[in-house]
Structure formats: C-alpha cells, structure tokens
Amino acid sequence: MHSSHYSSRIGRRLTGLTFLRVLLISFFLGATLLLDINASRFAELPPLHHRLYMGLIVFTYVLTIIYALWIRLRTPSTMLAYVQIGFDLLITTTLVTFTGGFHSSPFLFTLYLPIIAAAILSTLRASITIATIVTIITIITALIYLGVIPSPEAMDTTLVGGSTRTILLEAGLNISFTYLLAWSAGQLAKQLGQAHTEIAQSKLDIRNLQTLNENILASLNSGLLTVDQSMTIIFFNRAAEQITGHHLNDIFGKKLESLFPELANTLTSETAFNERHELNFTPPGEKTPLFLGFSISPLLDSDRQHTGHIIIFQDLSNYKRLEELAARNEKLAAIGQLSAAIAHEIRNPLASISGSVEMLQSISSLSEDEHALMNIVLNEVERLNKLISEFLDYTRPRPLNLEHTSITELFDETLLLFSHHSNAINVTFNKDDDLPLIPMDKEALKGVLWNLLVNAAQAMDELPEDEQQIHIHIELNDAQISIAVEDNGTGLAPADAQHMFEPFFTTKDTGTGLGLATAFRIMEAHKGEIMLTTPRQLRGACFMLSLPTKPPHN
C-alpha cells in the first residue's frame, strides 16, 4: 500500500514536471518565432548557436514525449525522476553555457530548475547533489572566462566582459544562490511532502470515519431518520426501511408528514424533544398496524446550531402485546381467585336448596303447577352448579396430559363433529405439508377449537347459508405451528376485542363468558398463544393460535 501510494505521488509530480517543461519549451519556441532575432542579443551569436538553440528545443520536445509515454505505459519510479533531472541539467547547462554563461546568459534561470525539480521529485540530498553539479559547471565556466582553461571552439567568450574580480564575484554569488536555493527548495519540498502525507492520512481517516459511521447507522436495529428545518427527510437507515416498508430512494426528499403525519404535527410543538411518542403505523401492503415508539432529538451542525431533527423509532408491537398480556394475566388471576372463593360459598346453599326442593316434591298433595315450579328451581340449581364447575375448571385447570399428536388428526376429528352440529356452514381447511407431531393435550385443545368454531357459527346466524364460511389455515413457522380460524361474520368492535379473553365477558345474549377465557388458559398452559387478529381472507373475526413444536417447560 505504501509502495502504491509512493508511485501515485511521484507519478503526479512527474506529470506536473512534464507539463511545466512543455510550457517552458513552448515559450522559448514562441519567443524565437515571434521576436526578430536579428534585432536581439542573438544577432550577435554565430549561426551555430542559432542551430544549437533550435536543436535543444526540438530535443527537449522529443524527450518530453518519451517521458509522457513512459509515465503512461509504465509505473512511475525514482529512476525515471533521476533520468529526467539528468537530461534537464544537460539541456540547461548547454543552453546557458553557449548563450553567455552565468555572466550574461538570458537563460541563466533555467539552470536552477533542475535543482527545484530534484527537491520536488526526490529529497534534499538529491537537490544538494544537483546544486553541486551546477557549482562545478559554474567554476569551470569561470575558469574558462579567466583563461585558466582553454575555451571550447563552440563557446564564444567574446560576449563576456568584466574584470577577474567581477567574474569571481558573480561566480561566488551564483554558487551561494545555488546552494541556498537547493536548501530552501529541499526544505520546502520536505514540508510540502509532510503536508501532503498528513492531508492524505486525514482524508483516509475521514473516509474510514465516514464508513464506520455509515456502518454503525446501517447496523442499528432501531429505525433512524433525520429531517431538516423544513421537515424534509434527508436520511433513512436500513432498519427504518425494514420497519416502514419504504426504500430510501422513495422517501428521500419527501416531507415527514407523508410518512408519519401525526409525528410531523408533534414536531411543530415546543414539547417535541425529550419526550416519548407512540403511534400506530401500517406499512404499505399490510393490514395489521405496527405500534411504533419514537424518540426525538435536535440535529446540530458543527457550530451547535439547530438544523433539523433526529428521529429514532422501534417496532414495539411485540412489547405492547406482551404488556397487554401481562396486564390481562394479572387481572385474570385476581378475578380467578375471587371466583374460586365465591364459587365455594355459593355451592353450599345451592346444595341445601336442591335437597329441600326434592323433599318438597315428595309431598303428594302438591299440584301440577307446584311440581312444575319446583322442577324449574331444580333445573336452575343444576345450571348454577354447572356454571360454578366451569368457574372452578377455569380457576384451577387440571394438569395437561401431553402426547405427541398430529395437529391434522385433531382438526379432522373436531371438524367431523362440527359438520353434524352446523352442516350448513362451508368450512375450508388448508395446511402446510409435513407438519410435525407436537406435544399437546388433545382433549383440551379440541375444546379450544370447538369453542372457536361454535362462536364463529353463532356470529353468522343472521347471514344467508351461502355466505356462512369458516376458513382454517395451519402453517409451520420455525419452532411454532400457527393456526388461523376466521369467519365471515360481523366481526368484533375494537372495544369488545380488548376484553375478549376476560371471564364473564360475552357479546351474546346467552353464555357464561368463560369459553374464550378458558381457551386462553389452555393455550397459556401449552406455552402457546391465542389472539384476535385481522382476517386474511374473510371479513369477520380471526383468532390466531400458536403452539410450540417442543414440549413446554414450566
């Protein structure tokens, strides 16, 4: 990774150096074409220098093309940097030497460019090395001007003027400037490199932090959305999509009221923050609403200014149902204890009443009307005794007799009996294949199913026979068997549904109100559940039973 980063960095710098070289060469070429050379300093130069000048331009263009192809076709490396610096030094030295040297060449500044390039492309040491080479060239040139070293034939020293002292002074100044430039360029390049590294690391840290933040938000089990000051949705995490059934692409940029209208109205009040909000929400394509809990916090920017709202929400439907179940169990337990105590106290006087009436019936002088009245009393006493027995069965259920039984067999037997009881009702029954045997008290569950079927039949008494339908569906869900029993009756009012499994509660003109309460206790003993849900196919009531496929543990 470090090698790849280094190659990328030196590649960018070599590309920049190549681009700068093209600009300089184009400038020189343009100056040659546009300016009247005969009227410039070049008029004093022999034709050889003109050809040399143009040859250097052409040679540099060719090298630049080669460099560009090398960078494009091969991985940039330090060797390519050294090759470029070396050729640049050769070209600039030739150009400066044969156009007046350090004393009077108009291109003297180009001699310093390889020093800067070395600092940028390599290190301070490379920059000092190039500066040393430039220094040696300067010393040799000075010695040529002083006559210590013979002048090359192509080098015209007649353009150079000044005393020995002046030449030495200028040479010293150029040498000093060369090393000062090398050191300064090296230090600056070093600082720029460190800054670039720090910036690259900062970008990487920011990118990692952003990725971590996105992963955290995406991994939350709670739904999270944010809105701006205009209540426009600007963020929607994965859990929010799963809970609401809406995708981010569909909801982004829309108003909050299009998703949660009640919550949008709440956010306009001053009491929206630091409070718990709850509401029902029905996902698209679903019939059963979810119970969602919301917590709202202000969305702040880097200056701690309020820019919107952060809304976190969870699906609390299961918790709400368990809460209602716990409250119902607590209520049923209290009612059951009271019922058991009352039942025992009522049975004793009933026994006395029954015995007394039977003794009175033995009197021969009683009229037929008196006998009829006494029979009514005995029948009512028997009905009360039966009701009390049901109460005691409810408050003190017998232990379950669990056996691994086929749920299909249980339904087949119960539906056969029900067909003789209500043969006009159309009962449809479908189930998953290969349902396992489950531990159950067959007789107890048969009573639960019978009660549901009879209640469904009574709910459809006033319907025409061709509209009286009961649908039963059984499916396997993981370690649970779910049983839905629904009818085509009038259904139940929401107010009645809340009390459906309470003892003594009934919507019928006759009835004890103990059938569903007992069914609730039986399902509870099996570690299962019975609940009232929204019908899947018909329009009436739907009772959903769930039974574990493994034996319940107390």
Side-chain angles (χ1 to χ4, degrees):
M1 180 176 180
H2 176 74
S3 176
S4 176
H5 175 71
Y6 174 77
S7 298
S8 175
R9 183 181 65 182
I10 197 171
R12 289 194 301 269
R13 293 181 178 180
L14 284 172
T15 302
L17 179 61
T18 302
F19 178 73
L20 178 61
R21 187 183 297 108
V22 170
L23 288 181
L24 289 174
I25 300 169
S26 299
F27 171 76
F28 293 151
L29 180 60
T32 303
L33 296 176
L34 296 178
L35 297 178
D36 183 6
I37 296 181
N38 293 325
S40 67
R41 180 172 181 80
F42 295 104
E44 303 176 6
L45 298 176
L48 176 62
H49 294 77
H50 289 240
R51 292 194 298 270
L52 177 63
Y53 179 68
M54 294 302 298
L56 287 175
I57 292 177
V58 174
F59 180 67
T60 308
Y61 265 123
V62 172
L63 281 181
T64 302
I65 294 173
I66 295 174
Y67 295 155
L69 291 175
W70 192 341
I71 294 173
R72 183 176 181 84
L73 300 178
R74 300 185 62 180
T75 303
S77 62
T78 306
M79 182 183 71
L80 178 59
Y82 290 151
V83 169
Q84 289 202 31
I85 294 171
F87 274 110
D88 288 347
L89 183 59
L90 175 63
I91 293 169
T92 55
T93 300
T94 304
L95 179 63
V96 171
T97 299
F98 292 96
T99 56
F102 69 85
H103 182 70
S104 56
S105 174
F107 304 110
L108 182 62
F109 71 94
T110 62
L111 201 58
Y112 304 126
L113 296 180
I115 299 175
I116 299 174
I120 295 175
L121 294 177
S122 188
T123 61
L124 175 60
R125 179 181 298 177
S127 182
I128 296 295
T129 301
I130 299 299
T132 302
I133 295 174
V134 172
T135 298
I136 294 172
I137 294 171
T138 302
I139 293 172
I140 293 173
T141 304
L143 293 176
I144 291 174
Y145 291 157
L146 295 174
V148 177
I149 298 177
S151 172
E153 183 179 350
M155 183 174 178
D156 188 0
T157 58
T158 60
L159 297 176
V160 180
S163 62
T164 301
R165 180 179 178 182
T166 302
I167 293 175
L168 293 177
L169 179 60
E170 290 182 0
L173 289 175
N174 278 279
I175 292 172
S176 300
F177 178 76
T178 297
Y179 279 106
L180 179 61
L181 177 63
W183 183 85
S184 301
Q187 291 296 325
L188 181 59
K190 180 180 178 180
Q191 293 178 6
L192 289 175
Q194 291 176 347
H196 181 274
T197 302
E198 292 175 358
I199 291 173
Q201 184 62 43
S202 298
K203 289 182 178 179
L204 180 61
D205 292 342
I206 292 173
R207 188 162 56 250
N208 291 338
L209 184 61
Q210 183 179 4
T211 302
L212 176 62
N213 182 58
E214 292 174 353
N215 290 337
I216 290 174
L217 295 179
S219 302
L220 286 176
N221 291 328
S222 300
L224 185 146
L225 69 87
T226 57
V227 295
D228 58 18
Q229 292 281 38
S230 63
M231 300 299 168
T232 301
I233 297 174
I234 56 178
F235 181 78
F236 209 63
N237 75 338
R238 188 183 306 162
E241 293 179 341
Q242 295 172 350
I243 294 173
T244 63
H246 291 280
H247 195 271
L248 172 62
N249 295 336
D250 301 326
I251 209 70
F252 182 81
K254 292 186 177 180
K255 296 294 183 181
L256 181 63
E257 62 185 14
S258 65
L259 183 64
F260 301 125
E262 297 179 19
L263 187 65
N265 294 333
T266 302
L267 286 179
T268 60
S269 67
E270 296 180 357
T271 59
F273 298 129
N274 302 322
E275 290 186 1
R276 188 71 180 176
H277 304 272
E278 297 176 345
L279 57 87
N280 290 322
F281 173 80
T282 304
E286 300 290 337
K287 294 182 178 180
T288 304
L290 302 177
F291 186 79
L292 303 183
F294 294 82
S295 60
I296 304 169
S297 303
L299 177 63
L300 306 179
D301 60 14
S302 58
D303 296 327
R304 308 295 295 174
Q305 297 297 314
H306 183 208
T307 60
H309 303 85
I310 300 174
I311 303 171
I312 300 176
F313 58 96
Q314 302 90 20
D315 180 6
L316 302 180
S317 302
N318 290 334
Y319 298 103
K320 188 70 173 179
R321 185 161 51 83
L322 291 175
E323 185 181 77
E324 293 174 351
L325 183 62
R328 182 185 291 121
N329 286 341
E330 185 177 350
K331 185 176 181 180
L332 292 180
I335 294 175
Q337 292 177 356
L338 178 63
S339 300
I342 294 175
H344 282 291
E345 295 300 324
I346 292 177
R347 264 192 164 175
N348 291 331
L350 283 180
S352 300
I353 292 172
S354 178
S356 299
V357 171
E358 288 176 353
M359 290 182 63
L360 289 175
Q361 277 187 322
S362 63
I363 298 176
S364 58
S365 59
L366 294 177
S367 64
E368 291 184 4
D369 291 338
E370 291 173 333
H371 273 289
L373 290 173
M374 290 184 182
N375 284 332
I376 291 174
V377 172
L378 289 176
N379 289 336
E380 291 301 311
V381 168
E382 183 180 355
R383 191 170 72 86
L384 286 174
N385 264 322
K386 182 179 179 182
L387 177 62
I388 291 172
S389 296
E390 291 180 2
F391 273 128
L392 292 176
D393 288 340
Y394 168 73
T395 56
R396 295 181 303 180
R398 63 178 177 82
L400 296 179
N401 181 23
L402 296 178
E403 295 181 355
H404 280 80
T405 309
S406 168
I407 192 72
T408 303
E409 178 184 333
L410 170 67
F411 270 80
D412 289 341
E413 293 179 7
T414 309
L415 290 176
L416 179 62
L417 293 174
F418 183 72
S419 64
H420 296 291
H421 179 271
S422 303
N423 55 9
I425 297 177
N426 178 27
V427 180
T428 56
F429 175 45
N430 59 66
K431 60 181 179 62
D432 287 350
D433 297 330
D434 300 326
L435 292 173
L437 301 179
I438 61 173
M440 68 170 78
D441 188 318
K442 185 175 180 181
E443 294 304 318
L445 286 180
K446 187 182 291 186
V448 172
L449 180 58
W450 178 263
N451 185 276
L452 294 179
L453 293 172
V454 171
N455 286 348
Q458 293 174 351
M460 298 184 293
D461 277 344
E462 299 180 0
L463 292 178
E465 290 187 358
D466 60 343
E467 294 184 15
Q468 297 183 9
Q469 300 179 45
I470 296 176
H471 179 72
I472 301 172
H473 179 74
I474 306 176
E475 61 184 2
L476 179 63
N477 296 316
D478 296 330
Q480 295 279 334
I481 285 185
S482 300
I483 307 163
V485 181
E486 55 183 298
D487 59 63
N488 209 31
T490 56
L492 292 166
D496 293 336
Q498 296 179 359
H499 307 285
M500 187 53 57
F501 299 105
E502 296 177 3
F504 306 109
F505 179 81
T506 180
T507 58
K508 308 172 188 175
D509 295 333
T510 60
T512 62
L514 287 173
L516 289 177
T518 303
F520 183 88
R521 278 293 178 88
I522 293 173
M523 295 302 297
E524 187 180 47
H526 281 81
K527 303 301 180 184
E529 288 183 319
I530 178 172
M531 66 185 74
L532 186 65
T533 63
T534 304
R536 299 180 179 182
Q537 298 184 10
L538 305 179
R539 66 171 183 265
C542 178
F543 287 89
M544 179 67 70
L545 309 178
S546 64
L547 287 167
T549 57
K550 296 182 180 180
H553 299 285
N554 295 325

